[in-house]
């Protein structure tokens, strides 16, 4: 396990080196995809390599003069990397405009540093039958733009095949998550998020192969009888959570059994269920996505009756599945969607008497001591109430 | 049994010794010193000083709980427990009917909501900013050339209400300088500073949604500042209890926790 794990973790240290070498080897196009929810399958079906634009932990020194003052760290860091030439290997950039930050920074990017391929996919904010045709048309617009750029026709068969490969990826990652849930501590949360992030940085076939090797070994590992308090973690959208932070949380006496990170549960929570037409299948995937606050699902409100926070329900369901006792929420500065959701989420958690801890995270992470105090105090509170 | 609690804060290190059981009859001792840079050494000295007052030495101590921001740097502690839990324990010992504690120290403000048994239900801390902490008042006192201990009293003599436009500790200093240049009374500046601090703490208090009738105590170095306490009393619309030595409460809690260690 150690060897495969080491390979997967190493990918994160130099996140884009594999993509750059893939380009040299194959002559293929590499498309940078801004978080979140971009249909990588479509890029894959066009013979190109989709890579997630994660930003980095490096100090942000150039980006701020180009961006709005409330730019989130993810956007600032990604733009900083662009200005420092770290994305020179890219042939294009694409994104679903999941929030105003992503929409606006993509536009600044295209204005100041135009790439040969630039595509903003619009996903309806309100997800119901009235907006579904628009979503399908947007998926088709992406398809034709990719076809024009790569010169490769995306046939329904090719797209179905790409979806199958990505479904396999999701099911492999989901299995690893299941094992972590059943045998807490089998994989650290920091490692887990790096493994998932790697799936967005290297050819998916390579990642699937590594995942199979890893799972073959992890399946045989038995639980070490973990005594730590089980928690789930949510928040921290769009970036890879800092490993030092996750390690600190787990070292102090909590064990993360599930999460809703972008480089985590959100990546593999559900499959694209193939039912004939691949565009309709992808549309279904988006219509039934996890109840993330970047979209409004009126169906959730109506069918659930009084649920004012389907996302809160989702997190609580995750807790139940993992038999977790508490939630830790990582809040990034200037992430509007999560901040807005947080209002409902904390109300829901309080209503159910679910203990939660909120940690504010910014790009530099800063000194870990204040975080240590909060986490340790939270653990003491949990233990005292047992 | 003899137990010690040591609270290493960003500014001050505090120790409490509790003794009870056969031959002792029960006693209490406390000591405080500025923290400085050598946390293990100052902790040892402060505990030593508290022990000396009751004619004991380090060798007599059975268990030590360390708390405060320097808690993990103390090699001789039996266990580390956060200042949140220790403060609640100390407050509950002194005031069993209090369910809301405001602890404002050198760099941290903490609000602790407890149940009637003194168990922590919820806590809130200032995030990554020293506005509304002792450090803010310390820097303000320096800028006004007023001894820190007098700052609160002087502010109560204010006759004209002015407001500070910045609650950032660094920018407030700049603002103080410009207010002095405009010949604004020091009393009025001091009052504005205290209001800024109290507003900040009041916001933090409200973030834990305190019960309307909760009895409130304030601890930490800033509780020694009469103006902050009075302003908060007005904002909360109720009396705030302040112990004789508000700085020692968390160390007391640590000693009590040491007593109850398994």
């Amino acid at each position: 396990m150690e060897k495969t794990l080491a390979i997967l973790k190493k990918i994160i240290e130099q996140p884009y080196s594999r993509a750059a070498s893939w380009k040299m080897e194959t002559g293929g196009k590499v498309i940078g995809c801004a978080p979140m929810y971009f249909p990588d399958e479509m890029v894959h079906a066009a013979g190109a390599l989709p890579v997630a634009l994660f930003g980095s932990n490096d100090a942000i020194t150039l980006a701020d003069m180009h961006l709005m003052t409330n730019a989130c760290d993810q956007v600032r860091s990604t733009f900083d990397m662009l200005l420092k030439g770290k994305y020179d290997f890219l042939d294009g950039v694409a994104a679903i405009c999941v929030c105003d930050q992503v929409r606006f920074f993509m536009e600044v990017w295209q204005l100041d540093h135009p790439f040969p391929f630039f595509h903003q996919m619009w996903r309806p904010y309100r997800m119901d039958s009235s907006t579904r045709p628009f979503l399908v048309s947007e998926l088709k617009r992406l398809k034709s733009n990719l076809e024009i750029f790569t010169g490769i026709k995306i046939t329904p068969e090719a797209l179905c095949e790409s979806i199958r490969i990505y479904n396999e990826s999701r099911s492999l990652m989901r299995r690893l998550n299941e094992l972590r849930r059943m045998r807490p501590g089998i994989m650290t949360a920091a490692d887990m998020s790096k493994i998932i992030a790697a799936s967005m940085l290297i050819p998916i076939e390579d990642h699937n192969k590594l995942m199979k090797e890893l799972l073959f070994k992890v399946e045989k590992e038995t639980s070490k009888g973990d005594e730590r308090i089980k928690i789930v973690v949510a928040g921290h959208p769009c970036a890879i959570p800092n490993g030092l932070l996750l390690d600190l949380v787990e070292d102090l006496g909590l064990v993360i059994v599930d999460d809703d990170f972008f480089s985590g549960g959100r990546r593999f929570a559900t499959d694209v269920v193939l039912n004939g037409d691949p565009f309709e299948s992808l549309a279904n995937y988006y219509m039934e996505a996890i109840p993330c606050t970047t979209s409004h699902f009126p169906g959730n409100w109506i069918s659930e009756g009084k649920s004012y926070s389907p996302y809160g329900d989702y997190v609580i369901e995750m807790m139940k599945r993992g038999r977790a006792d508490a939630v830790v929420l990582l809040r990034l500065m200037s992430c509007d969607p999560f901040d807005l959701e947080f209002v409902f989420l904390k109300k829901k958690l309080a209503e159910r008497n679910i203990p939660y801890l909120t940690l504010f995270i910014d790009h530099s992470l800063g000194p870990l001591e204040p975080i240590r105090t909060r986490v340790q105090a939270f653990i003491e509170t949990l233990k005292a109430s047992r | 049994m003899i137990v010690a609690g040591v609270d290493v804060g960003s500014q001050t290190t505090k120790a409490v010794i509790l003794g009870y059981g056969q031959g002792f009859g029960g006693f209490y001792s406390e000591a405080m010193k500025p923290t400085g840079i050598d946390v293990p050494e100052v902790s040892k000295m402060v505990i030593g000083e508290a022990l000396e007052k009751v004619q004991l030495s380090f060798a007599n101590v059975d268990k030590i709980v360390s708390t405060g921001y320097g808690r993990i740097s103390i090699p001789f502690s039996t266990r580390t427990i956060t200042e949140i839990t220790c403060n609640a324990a100390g407050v509950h010992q002194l005031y069993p009917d209090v369910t809301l504690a405001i602890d404002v120290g050198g760099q941290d403000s903490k609000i602790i909501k407890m149940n009637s048994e003194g168990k922590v239900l919820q806590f809130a801390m200032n995030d990554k900013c020293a506005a509304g902490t002792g450090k803010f008042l310390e820097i303000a006192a320096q800028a006004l050339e007023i001894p820190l201990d007098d700052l609160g009293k002087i502010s109560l003599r204010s006759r004209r209400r002015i407001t500070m436009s910045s609650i950032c500790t660094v920018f407030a200093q700049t603002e103080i300088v410009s207010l002095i240049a405009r010949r604004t009374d020091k009393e009025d500046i001091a009052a504005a500073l205290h209001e800024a601090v109290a507003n900040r703490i009041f916001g933090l208090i409200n973030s834990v949604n305190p019960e309307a009738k909760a009895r409130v105590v304030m601890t930490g170095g800033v509780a020694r500042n009469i103006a902050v306490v009075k302003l908060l009393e007005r904002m909360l619309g109720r009396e705030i209890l302040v112990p004789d030595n508000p700085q020692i409460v968390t160390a007391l809690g640590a000693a009590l926790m040491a007593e109850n260690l398994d």
Side-chain angles (χ1 to χ4, degrees):
Chain A
M1 173 172 128
E2 289 309 318
K3 202 176 138 215
T4 317
L5 187 59
I7 295 169
L8 281 158
K9 282 162 71 176
K10 211 167 168 59
I11 293 165
I12 305 302
E13 285 166 26
Q14 290 186 311
Y16 302 107
S17 67
R18 179 71 188 98
S21 67
W22 178 88
K23 186 175 165 164
M24 297 282 281
E25 288 157 20
T26 64
K29 309 265 194 231
V30 183
I31 310 285
C33 305
M36 299 187 284
Y37 303 119
F38 197 79
D40 292 347
E41 293 91 338
M42 201 91 82
V43 179
H44 182 268
L49 177 64
V51 292
L53 300 173
F54 276 123
S56 77
N57 290 330
D58 296 348
I60 298 166
T61 53
L62 302 176
D64 287 342
M65 61 191 242
H66 297 263
L67 296 168
M68 57 284 190
T69 48
N70 70 337
C72 69
D73 289 337
Q74 166 66 17
V75 156
R76 291 171 64 225
S77 173
T78 305
F79 209 76
D80 204 62
M81 285 186 67
L82 166 76
L83 296 173
K84 286 171 180 162
K86 302 279 173 68
Y87 293 140
D88 286 353
F89 68 97
L90 290 178
D91 298 289
V93 283
I96 288 187
C97 296
V98 286
C99 66
D100 285 344
Q101 301 260 2
V102 170
R103 175 185 69 83
F104 187 72
F105 112 99
M106 290 290 291
E107 286 169 8
V108 176
W109 183 322
Q110 184 58 7
L111 196 67
D112 290 355
H113 300 271
F115 276 27
F117 179 81
F118 174 75
H119 187 97
Q120 280 176 300
M121 180 179 152
W122 302 97
R123 185 190 59 168
Y125 175 63
R126 183 183 163 104
M127 298 288 235
D128 66 4
S129 57
S130 71
T131 56
R132 189 191 158 101
F134 174 71
L135 175 63
V136 174
S137 77
E138 274 298 285
L139 287 162
K140 290 189 173 163
R141 189 173 66 87
L142 172 63
K143 168 191 171 272
S144 27
N145 270 359
L146 280 166
E147 284 178 340
I148 294 162
F149 180 62
T150 60
I152 294 170
K153 186 147 179 58
I154 302 174
T155 63
E157 294 74 29
L159 184 52
C160 285
E161 183 51 24
S162 295
I163 291 173
R164 265 184 222 106
I165 294 168
Y166 275 85
N167 277 344
E168 184 184 22
S169 165
R170 285 184 276 256
S171 88
L172 290 166
M173 293 188 283
R174 213 159 40 229
R175 177 63 189 155
L176 183 63
N177 198 45
E178 258 169 37
L179 290 170
R180 169 173 76 152
R181 199 163 54 220
M182 292 186 296
R183 306 173 203 162
I186 205 164
M187 181 72 61
T188 71
D191 285 353
M192 187 80 188
S193 84
K194 286 175 190 163
I195 292 167
I196 309 306
S199 76
M200 304 178 224
L201 294 166
I202 63 170
I204 197 71
E205 295 83 354
D206 296 358
H207 192 264
N208 283 354
K209 191 163 161 281
L210 286 165
M211 281 302 292
K212 282 178 197 162
E213 285 173 26
L214 183 72
L215 276 171
F216 181 73
K217 290 160 190 163
V218 178
E219 293 273 7
K220 287 190 249 175
E221 302 252 325
T222 48
S223 175
K224 290 160 196 147
D226 208 296
E227 297 282 307
R228 291 174 290 178
I229 298 170
K230 289 189 234 172
I231 58 159
V232 300
V233 185
H236 209 297
C238 296
I240 309 168
N242 194 305
L244 289 173
L245 172 77
L246 296 178
D247 283 345
L248 178 73
V249 166
E250 292 204 305
D251 287 347
L252 283 170
L254 299 171
V255 60
I256 298 170
V257 293
D258 211 338
D259 68 62
D260 182 41
F261 295 144
F262 168 58
S263 63
R266 199 168 281 207
R267 173 75 172 166
F268 52 72
T270 51
D271 279 351
V272 177
V273 181
L274 275 167
N275 59 350
D277 184 278
F279 295 97
E280 295 295 333
S281 305
L282 279 168
N284 286 341
Y285 172 74
Y286 286 107
M287 300 301 290
E288 286 150 28
I290 66 161
C292 167
T293 180
T294 58
S295 294
H296 175 59
F297 299 86
N300 278 324
W301 285 67
I302 296 157
S303 63
E304 298 277 322
K306 296 183 198 70
S307 185
Y308 52 82
S309 175
Y311 183 71
D313 297 339
Y314 180 77
V315 172
I316 292 167
E317 190 50 42
M318 194 195 300
M319 283 185 68
K320 281 192 197 150
R321 214 167 43 220
R323 297 195 184 145
D325 293 320
V327 187
V328 170
L329 301 166
L330 306 183
R331 289 175 72 183
L332 287 181
M333 291 298 176
S334 305
C335 177
D336 292 354
F338 195 74
D339 267 358
L340 298 173
E341 179 60 46
F342 183 74
V343 176
F344 289 152
L345 182 58
K346 71 173 182 184
K347 197 173 157 71
K348 186 129 241 169
L349 295 173
E351 201 176 270
R352 305 281 176 93
N353 281 323
I354 294 170
Y356 66 92
L357 174 73
T358 312
L359 299 174
F360 281 93
I361 310 296
D362 68 15
H363 183 73
S364 63
L365 192 62
L368 281 171
E369 286 317 305
I371 296 176
R372 178 194 299 277
T373 300
R374 283 164 177 75
V375 175
Q376 199 184 336
F378 184 58
I379 294 170
E380 288 164 3
T381 311
L382 290 174
K383 284 187 175 161
S385 62
R386 277 187 166 183
Chain B
M1 182 152 67
I2 295 164
V3 291
V6 59
D7 172 18
V8 186
S10 61
Q11 302 292 308
T12 315
T13 297
K14 289 82 63 175
V16 164
I17 309 293
L18 292 177
Y20 58 95
Q22 292 139 338
F24 294 117
F27 61 79
Y28 169 93
S29 176
E30 64 177 52
M32 302 193 337
K33 267 186 197 312
T35 298
I37 53 165
D38 191 344
V39 168
E41 188 53 32
V42 75
S43 310
K44 216 173 202 167
M45 280 164 65
V46 174
I47 296 171
E49 197 183 311
L51 283 164
E52 235 169 72
K53 291 180 186 170
V54 283
Q55 284 90 46
L56 288 169
S57 72
F58 236 86
N60 300 105
V61 181
D62 295 295
K63 292 174 204 167
I64 300 175
V65 162
S66 61
T67 187
Y69 104 110
R71 67 189 180 281
I72 58 166
S73 321
I74 300 171
F76 49 83
S77 80
T78 319
R79 193 173 297 176
T80 71
I81 298 176
T82 63
E83 47 273 39
I84 307 282
T85 304
C86 290
N87 185 271
V91 164
H92 186 68
Q93 174 73 22
L94 298 175
Y95 307 97
D97 58 344
V98 159
T99 53
L100 188 71
I102 306 164
D103 181 58
V104 185
Q107 287 178 10
D108 270 339
S109 353
K110 304 180 245 332
I111 308 301
I112 305 165
K113 198 170 155 180
M114 292 171 269
N115 66 11
S116 56
E117 289 152 19
K119 296 259 184 283
V120 178
L121 297 175
Q122 205 183 340
F123 62 89
M125 294 174 79
N126 60 320
D127 271 290
K128 295 189 174 180
C129 173
T133 68
K135 198 75 201 166
F136 181 89
L137 292 171
E138 191 187 310
I139 286 177
Q142 275 169 18
L144 287 170
E145 295 178 341
I146 295 173
L148 182 59
D149 285 341
D150 298 339
L151 192 65
K153 273 175 272 169
I154 286 172
S155 79
L156 296 178
R157 297 205 295 259
S158 163
R159 283 151 178 256
R160 196 169 64 97
R161 187 166 181 269
I162 56 166
T163 49
M164 298 287 293
S165 57
S166 177
I167 50 161
C168 165
T169 308
V170 176
F171 291 150
Q173 201 173 2
T174 318
E175 194 162 357
I176 292 166
V177 172
S178 79
L179 285 167
I180 292 172
R182 278 185 272 145
R183 302 190 182 283
T184 312
D185 287 348
K186 281 188 178 183
E187 289 82 357
D188 298 336
I189 302 175
L193 289 163
H194 285 88
E195 196 170 331
V197 170
N199 275 329
R200 189 86 178 177
I201 300 170
F202 186 51
L204 201 61
I205 294 172
N206 287 327
S207 76
V208 303
N209 194 19
E211 281 171 31
K213 285 183 182 158
R215 293 255 286 158
V216 188
V217 72
M218 183 159 173
T219 64
V222 175
R224 284 169 44 199
N225 183 308
I226 179 81
V228 173
V229 176
K230 276 190 182 299
L231 281 164
L232 285 172
E233 282 185 330
R234 202 190 310 152
M235 289 170 179
L236 282 165
R238 69 193 100 161
E239 182 200 11
I240 295 176
L241 302 160
V242 179
D244 292 340
N245 182 355
Q247 282 176 283
I248 207 80
V249 177
T250 305
L252 168 67
L256 291 165
M257 298 297 290
E259 190 182 318
N260 294 320
L261 285 183
D262 310 326

